């Protein structure tokens, strides 16, 4: 039993409409806005020369972090790129981490008085930040 030409045309038209709709829906629907974040961390007006700054999104679990430079400046990375998902973040500043070789004597651990303990923990740090799409400069004074 032969299928009519009009049936083929309608089927082709449906396919074209479906592909066009998928293209429109797919373009940008899954893309979330991102921003780059840089700034400086200071304690009593002086640059914090060693440590890490971490942005943690309480709802999504997203974590972006950076190592502080000697001048207290940082550039946040998320997944190895500067593209940090836009949104609200809790900010934590911690002393640097050190890898310890179990075969060698443990190095003397610095106390880092320029990073008060309350800034080192999610539950006690008062620091908050909002990352907007585009470039963000976010400085923190402790």
């Amino acid at each position: 039993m032969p299928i009519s030409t009009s049936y083929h045309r309608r089927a082709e038209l449906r396919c074209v409409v479906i592909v066009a709709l998928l293209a429109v829906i797919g373009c940008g629907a899954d893309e979330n806005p991102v921003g780059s974040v840089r700034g400086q961390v200071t304690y009593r007006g002086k640059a914090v020369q060693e440590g890490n700054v971490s942005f943690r999104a309480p709802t999504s679990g997203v974590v972006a972090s950076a190592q502080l430079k000697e001048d207290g400046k940082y550039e946040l990375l998320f997944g190895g790129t500067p593209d940090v998902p836009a949104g609200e973040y809790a900010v934590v500043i911690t002393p640097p981490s050190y890898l310890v070789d179990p075969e060698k004597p443990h190095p003397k651990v610095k106390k880092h008085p320029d990073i008060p303990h309350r800034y080192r923990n999610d539950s006690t740090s008062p620091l908050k930040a909002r990352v907007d799409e585009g470039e963000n400069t976010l400085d923190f004074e402790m």
Side-chain angles (χ1 to χ4, degrees):
M1 188 171 199
I3 299 177
S4 73
T5 307
S6 65
Y7 175 79
H8 283 288
R9 285 189 186 141
R10 281 184 278 161
E12 286 175 359
L13 181 61
R14 285 186 193 124
C15 286
V16 169
V17 170
I18 290 171
V19 168
L21 284 172
L22 289 174
V24 170
I25 291 170
C27 291
D30 291 339
E31 293 181 26
N32 293 320
V34 296
S36 62
V37 181
R38 63 180 47 179
Q40 186 177 34
V41 177
T42 55
Y43 176 66
R44 294 185 178 170
K46 294 183 181 177
V48 177
Q49 297 180 336
E50 288 185 301
N52 301 300
V53 59
S54 297
F55 282 43
R56 299 175 183 171
T59 55
S60 67
V62 167
V63 177
S65 61
Q67 194 170 25
L68 295 174
K69 299 175 186 168
E70 285 187 23
D71 59 0
K73 293 187 177 179
Y74 70 93
E75 293 180 29
L76 217 54
L77 294 177
F78 173 69
T81 73
D83 298 330
V84 178
E88 300 290 333
Y89 290 86
V91 180
V92 176
I93 301 173
T94 57
S97 303
Y98 299 101
L99 294 177
V100 177
D101 184 347
E103 302 295 320
K104 295 182 180 177
H106 293 293
K108 190 172 185 178
V109 178
K110 288 176 150 182
K111 295 210 183 245
H112 295 282
D114 59 349
I115 304 175
H117 286 278
R118 74 183 196 149
Y119 295 98
R120 300 179 187 193
N121 187 297
D122 285 344
S123 62
T124 59
S125 177
L127 303 176
K128 306 286 182 215
R130 171 155 184 77
V131 174
D132 293 316
E133 189 171 6
E135 294 184 13
N136 296 264
T137 300
L138 301 170
D139 297 331
F140 298 101
E141 166 65 34
M142 297 184 287

